[in-house]
Short mmCIF file of all heavy atoms in Angstrom, two decimals:
data_model
loop_
_atom_site.label_atom_id
_atom_site.label_comp_id
_atom_site.label_asym_id
_atom_site.label_seq_id
_atom_site.Cartn_x
_atom_site.Cartn_y
_atom_site.Cartn_z
N GLN A 44 11.11 -4.09 -3.82
CA GLN A 44 11.56 -3.83 -5.19
C GLN A 44 11.30 -5.07 -6.04
O GLN A 44 11.67 -6.18 -5.66
CB GLN A 44 13.06 -3.52 -5.21
CG GLN A 44 13.45 -2.22 -4.55
CD GLN A 44 13.18 -1.02 -5.43
OE1 GLN A 44 13.18 -1.12 -6.66
NE2 GLN A 44 12.95 0.12 -4.81
N PHE A 45 10.72 -4.85 -7.21
CA PHE A 45 10.35 -5.94 -8.12
C PHE A 45 11.56 -6.66 -8.68
O PHE A 45 12.49 -6.01 -9.18
CB PHE A 45 9.50 -5.35 -9.24
CG PHE A 45 9.15 -6.33 -10.33
CD1 PHE A 45 8.22 -7.32 -10.12
CD2 PHE A 45 9.76 -6.23 -11.58
CE1 PHE A 45 7.88 -8.20 -11.14
CE2 PHE A 45 9.43 -7.11 -12.59
CZ PHE A 45 8.49 -8.10 -12.37
N ILE A 46 11.53 -8.00 -8.60
CA ILE A 46 12.60 -8.80 -9.18
C ILE A 46 12.10 -9.55 -10.42
O ILE A 46 12.66 -9.43 -11.51
CB ILE A 46 13.18 -9.83 -8.18
CG1 ILE A 46 13.55 -9.18 -6.85
CG2 ILE A 46 14.42 -10.50 -8.78
CD1 ILE A 46 14.01 -10.18 -5.80
N PHE A 47 11.05 -10.38 -10.24
CA PHE A 47 10.52 -11.20 -11.33
C PHE A 47 9.00 -11.33 -11.21
O PHE A 47 8.44 -11.25 -10.14
CB PHE A 47 11.07 -12.64 -11.27
CG PHE A 47 12.48 -12.82 -11.71
CD1 PHE A 47 13.45 -13.12 -10.78
CD2 PHE A 47 12.83 -12.72 -13.03
CE1 PHE A 47 14.77 -13.30 -11.16
CE2 PHE A 47 14.14 -12.90 -13.44
CZ PHE A 47 15.12 -13.19 -12.49
N GLN A 48 8.39 -11.58 -12.37
CA GLN A 48 6.99 -11.95 -12.46
C GLN A 48 6.88 -13.18 -13.36
O GLN A 48 7.40 -13.18 -14.47
CB GLN A 48 6.18 -10.80 -13.05
CG GLN A 48 4.81 -11.19 -13.56
CD GLN A 48 3.77 -11.24 -12.47
OE1 GLN A 48 3.86 -10.52 -11.49
NE2 GLN A 48 2.75 -12.08 -12.64
N TYR A 49 6.20 -14.20 -12.87
CA TYR A 49 5.94 -15.40 -13.66
C TYR A 49 4.44 -15.64 -13.74
O TYR A 49 3.72 -15.44 -12.76
CB TYR A 49 6.61 -16.63 -13.05
CG TYR A 49 8.05 -16.77 -13.46
CD1 TYR A 49 9.04 -16.02 -12.85
CD2 TYR A 49 8.41 -17.64 -14.49
CE1 TYR A 49 10.36 -16.12 -13.25
CE2 TYR A 49 9.73 -17.75 -14.89
CZ TYR A 49 10.70 -16.98 -14.27
OH TYR A 49 12.00 -17.09 -14.67
N TYR A 50 4.02 -16.04 -14.92
CA TYR A 50 2.61 -16.39 -15.13
C TYR A 50 2.56 -17.60 -16.03
O TYR A 50 3.15 -17.58 -17.12
CB TYR A 50 1.83 -15.23 -15.73
CG TYR A 50 0.39 -15.55 -16.03
CD1 TYR A 50 -0.52 -15.74 -15.01
CD2 TYR A 50 -0.06 -15.65 -17.35
CE1 TYR A 50 -1.85 -16.04 -15.27
CE2 TYR A 50 -1.39 -15.95 -17.62
CZ TYR A 50 -2.27 -16.14 -16.59
OH TYR A 50 -3.59 -16.44 -16.84
N GLU A 51 1.86 -18.63 -15.62
CA GLU A 51 1.76 -19.86 -16.40
C GLU A 51 3.15 -20.35 -16.82
O GLU A 51 3.37 -20.72 -17.98
CB GLU A 51 0.87 -19.66 -17.63
CG GLU A 51 -0.59 -19.48 -17.29
CD GLU A 51 -1.30 -20.80 -17.03
OE1 GLU A 51 -0.62 -21.83 -16.80
OE2 GLU A 51 -2.54 -20.82 -17.04
N LYS A 52 4.10 -20.32 -15.87
CA LYS A 52 5.45 -20.86 -16.02
C LYS A 52 6.34 -20.04 -16.95
O LYS A 52 7.47 -20.44 -17.22
CB LYS A 52 5.39 -22.32 -16.51
CG LYS A 52 4.77 -23.27 -15.51
CD LYS A 52 4.44 -24.61 -16.13
CE LYS A 52 3.23 -24.48 -17.03
NZ LYS A 52 2.84 -25.76 -17.67
N GLU A 53 5.85 -18.91 -17.41
CA GLU A 53 6.66 -18.07 -18.28
C GLU A 53 7.03 -16.77 -17.56
O GLU A 53 6.20 -16.18 -16.87
CB GLU A 53 5.92 -17.74 -19.57
CG GLU A 53 5.79 -18.93 -20.51
CD GLU A 53 5.23 -18.51 -21.86
OE1 GLU A 53 5.05 -17.30 -22.09
OE2 GLU A 53 4.97 -19.41 -22.67
N GLU A 54 8.26 -16.31 -17.78
CA GLU A 54 8.67 -15.03 -17.22
C GLU A 54 7.95 -13.92 -17.96
O GLU A 54 8.03 -13.81 -19.19
CB GLU A 54 10.19 -14.86 -17.34
CG GLU A 54 10.69 -13.55 -16.75
CD GLU A 54 12.19 -13.38 -16.95
OE1 GLU A 54 12.96 -14.27 -16.56
OE2 GLU A 54 12.58 -12.31 -17.49
N ARG A 55 7.26 -13.07 -17.23
CA ARG A 55 6.50 -11.98 -17.84
C ARG A 55 7.09 -10.61 -17.54
O ARG A 55 6.71 -9.61 -18.11
CB ARG A 55 5.04 -11.99 -17.35
CG ARG A 55 4.27 -13.21 -17.76
CD ARG A 55 4.19 -13.36 -19.27
NE ARG A 55 3.39 -14.51 -19.67
CZ ARG A 55 2.13 -14.44 -20.04
NH1 ARG A 55 1.51 -13.28 -20.03
NH2 ARG A 55 1.48 -15.54 -20.39
N GLY A 56 8.05 -10.57 -16.61
CA GLY A 56 8.66 -9.30 -16.28
C GLY A 56 9.88 -9.53 -15.43
O GLY A 56 9.96 -10.49 -14.67
N ARG A 57 10.85 -8.62 -15.57
CA ARG A 57 12.08 -8.71 -14.82
C ARG A 57 12.48 -7.32 -14.38
O ARG A 57 12.46 -6.39 -15.20
CB ARG A 57 13.19 -9.33 -15.68
CG ARG A 57 14.47 -9.54 -14.93
CD ARG A 57 15.60 -9.99 -15.84
NE ARG A 57 16.80 -10.24 -15.05
CZ ARG A 57 17.31 -11.44 -14.80
NH1 ARG A 57 16.74 -12.51 -15.32
NH2 ARG A 57 18.39 -11.58 -14.07
N GLY A 58 12.85 -7.19 -13.13
CA GLY A 58 13.28 -5.90 -12.61
C GLY A 58 14.76 -5.67 -12.87
O GLY A 58 15.43 -6.46 -13.52
N ASN A 59 15.26 -4.59 -12.33
CA ASN A 59 16.64 -4.18 -12.56
C ASN A 59 17.57 -4.90 -11.58
O ASN A 59 18.14 -4.29 -10.68
CB ASN A 59 16.76 -2.66 -12.41
CG ASN A 59 18.12 -2.16 -12.81
OD1 ASN A 59 18.81 -2.80 -13.59
ND2 ASN A 59 18.51 -1.01 -12.29
N PHE A 60 17.70 -6.18 -11.77
CA PHE A 60 18.57 -7.00 -10.94
C PHE A 60 19.56 -7.73 -11.84
O PHE A 60 19.24 -8.06 -12.98
CB PHE A 60 17.75 -8.02 -10.13
CG PHE A 60 17.10 -7.41 -8.91
CD1 PHE A 60 15.93 -6.69 -9.01
CD2 PHE A 60 17.70 -7.55 -7.66
CE1 PHE A 60 15.36 -6.11 -7.89
CE2 PHE A 60 17.13 -6.99 -6.53
CZ PHE A 60 15.95 -6.26 -6.65
N PRO A 61 20.77 -8.01 -11.32
CA PRO A 61 21.80 -8.67 -12.15
C PRO A 61 21.41 -10.10 -12.50
O PRO A 61 20.50 -10.68 -11.91
CB PRO A 61 23.05 -8.62 -11.26
CG PRO A 61 22.53 -8.48 -9.87
CD PRO A 61 21.28 -7.69 -9.97
N ASP A 62 22.15 -10.65 -13.46
CA ASP A 62 21.87 -12.00 -13.94
C ASP A 62 22.13 -13.07 -12.88
O ASP A 62 21.78 -14.24 -13.09
CB ASP A 62 22.73 -12.31 -15.17
CG ASP A 62 22.31 -11.50 -16.37
OD1 ASP A 62 21.17 -10.97 -16.33
OD2 ASP A 62 23.08 -11.38 -17.32
N ARG A 63 22.73 -12.67 -11.77
CA ARG A 63 22.92 -13.63 -10.67
C ARG A 63 21.57 -14.09 -10.10
O ARG A 63 21.49 -15.11 -9.43
CB ARG A 63 23.74 -12.99 -9.54
CG ARG A 63 25.12 -12.53 -9.93
CD ARG A 63 25.89 -12.00 -8.72
NE ARG A 63 25.31 -10.80 -8.13
CZ ARG A 63 24.64 -10.78 -6.99
NH1 ARG A 63 24.46 -11.89 -6.28
NH2 ARG A 63 24.15 -9.63 -6.51
N PHE A 64 20.57 -13.29 -10.36
CA PHE A 64 19.20 -13.61 -9.90
C PHE A 64 18.47 -14.33 -11.03
O PHE A 64 18.45 -13.86 -12.17
CB PHE A 64 18.44 -12.34 -9.54
CG PHE A 64 18.90 -11.68 -8.27
CD1 PHE A 64 20.08 -10.94 -8.24
CD2 PHE A 64 18.16 -11.79 -7.11
CE1 PHE A 64 20.51 -10.34 -7.07
CE2 PHE A 64 18.58 -11.18 -5.93
CZ PHE A 64 19.76 -10.45 -5.91
#
Side-chain angles (χ1 to χ4, degrees):
Chain A
Q44 292 282 333
F45 174 73
I46 309 175
F47 285 109
Q48 163 83 29
Y49 276 80
Y50 177 70
E51 290 279 17
K52 294 167 286 181
E53 288 189 6
E54 181 183 306
R55 296 300 182 98
R57 184 187 183 109
N59 188 25
F60 281 81
D62 291 343
R63 300 184 295 106
F64 288 76

